[in-house]
Amino acid sequence: MWHKDVLTPKYSNWKDTHTNLYNYQDDIYGVIAIHPIEYLDERIPQFIVNNSYDIIRKLAAFSYKHFNGTTIAITGTTGEFTTKSLLNELLSINHSVEATKENYNSRMEMMLTIANAITNPDYLVLEVSEDKVWHLPETVVTDDVPPDIVSITSVGSDHQRTVEETALLKSQLTHGMNYHSYVILNRDMDNFERVYDTISN
């Protein structure tokens, strides 16, 4: 559960989400929390830990260790959410798929998606935000969870980086991929040649 002690700008208007569980008790089979939740039905097991984020990372690592499907990672300055959503819909017609929900693409939300793949779906589809690519050493992406397919939808500048810097950053998502993997690039995106050359090398 999220707690205000680990406040980030993205969630600055959130309250302690431990208090939200009461309304969802009928759908809960277990809870990982940093302190006991007294009002929960006593039949719901509670796993009390010092750091719930560390546990989520461990669950994600365990889940991926037993995952036999195909991992698809999608990133881009724009278009990654649409691409992920369409791909999820299409693959779900004939396959089991675990994909990041809506546009929740922070590092921790990606860990939750990987942890949910404990059911060993055919496909694991991850929308990877720039933040996760920028902090690759702090995540399991590319090293412990090397994608089988990477899609880079677009590369553009923002208030922090130039197009060239963003292109280099996005291409880092391909690190750790093996020779049997695939990279899909949008030929019409800005700085295509830079991204292509960086990945090829």
Side-chain angles (χ1 to χ4, degrees):
M1 297 304 298
W2 182 89
H3 192 270
K4 202 168 186 176
D5 289 345
V6 289
L7 183 67
T8 61
K10 180 176 180 181
Y11 307 111
S12 59
N13 62 337
W14 282 29
K15 299 178 181 179
D16 185 347
T17 57
H18 287 77
T19 61
N20 295 341
L21 292 182
Y22 181 82
N23 298 325
Y24 303 100
Q25 293 190 83
D26 292 340
D27 300 314
I28 294 174
Y29 295 93
V31 171
I32 298 174
I34 60 175
H35 61 73
I37 305 172
E38 297 179 357
Y39 61 77
L40 278 186
D41 188 315
E42 63 181 11
R43 293 171 296 181
I44 300 175
Q46 299 188 41
F47 304 92
I48 308 305
V49 299
N50 292 326
N51 188 323
S52 57
Y53 293 102
D54 284 343
I55 297 301
I56 292 172
R57 291 188 185 97
K58 291 178 180 179
L59 289 173
F62 179 84
S63 174
Y64 195 78
K65 181 180 179 180
H66 298 275
F67 177 66
N68 298 315
T70 300
T71 302
I72 303 174
I74 303 168
T75 191
T77 305
T78 60
E80 68 273 22
F81 171 71
T82 300
T83 302
K84 182 264 300 182
S85 300
L86 290 173
L87 189 59
N88 182 29
E89 289 292 328
L90 291 171
L91 290 174
S92 297
I93 295 174
N94 294 311
H95 302 278
S96 56
V97 182
E98 185 65 41
T100 48
K101 303 298 186 286
E102 300 183 12
N103 63 342
Y104 299 148
N105 59 6
S106 73
R107 284 172 286 166
M108 189 50 57
E109 287 151 351
M110 187 187 65
M111 294 298 98
L112 286 170
T113 303
I114 297 171
N116 285 336
I118 191 64
T119 56
N120 198 21
D122 297 323
Y123 290 93
L124 176 61
V125 182
L126 303 172
E127 178 186 345
V128 184
S129 72
E130 184 170 296
D131 175 62
K132 287 194 292 296
V133 181
W134 187 251
H135 295 92
L136 281 178
E138 302 174 19
T139 73
V140 297
V141 176
T142 75
D143 292 328
D144 296 332
V145 185
D148 299 295
I149 301 172
V150 166
S151 173
I152 301 178
T153 60
S154 64
V155 171
S157 61
D158 56 29
H159 63 283
Q160 293 180 320
R161 302 179 183 90
T162 65
V163 172
E164 290 75 15
E165 291 171 334
T166 303
L168 181 61
L169 177 62
K170 297 294 187 184
S171 64
Q172 290 181 18
L173 187 58
T174 62
H175 291 182
M177 297 178 72
N178 60 51
Y179 290 109
H180 300 290
S181 304
Y182 297 91
V183 179
I184 302 172
L185 301 179
N186 176 6
R187 185 63 180 83
D188 296 326
M189 69 181 177
D190 293 336
N191 234 23
F192 169 84
E193 296 297 339
R194 175 67 182 277
V195 176
Y196 180 85
D197 289 342
T198 300
I199 294 173
S200 299
N201 295 328

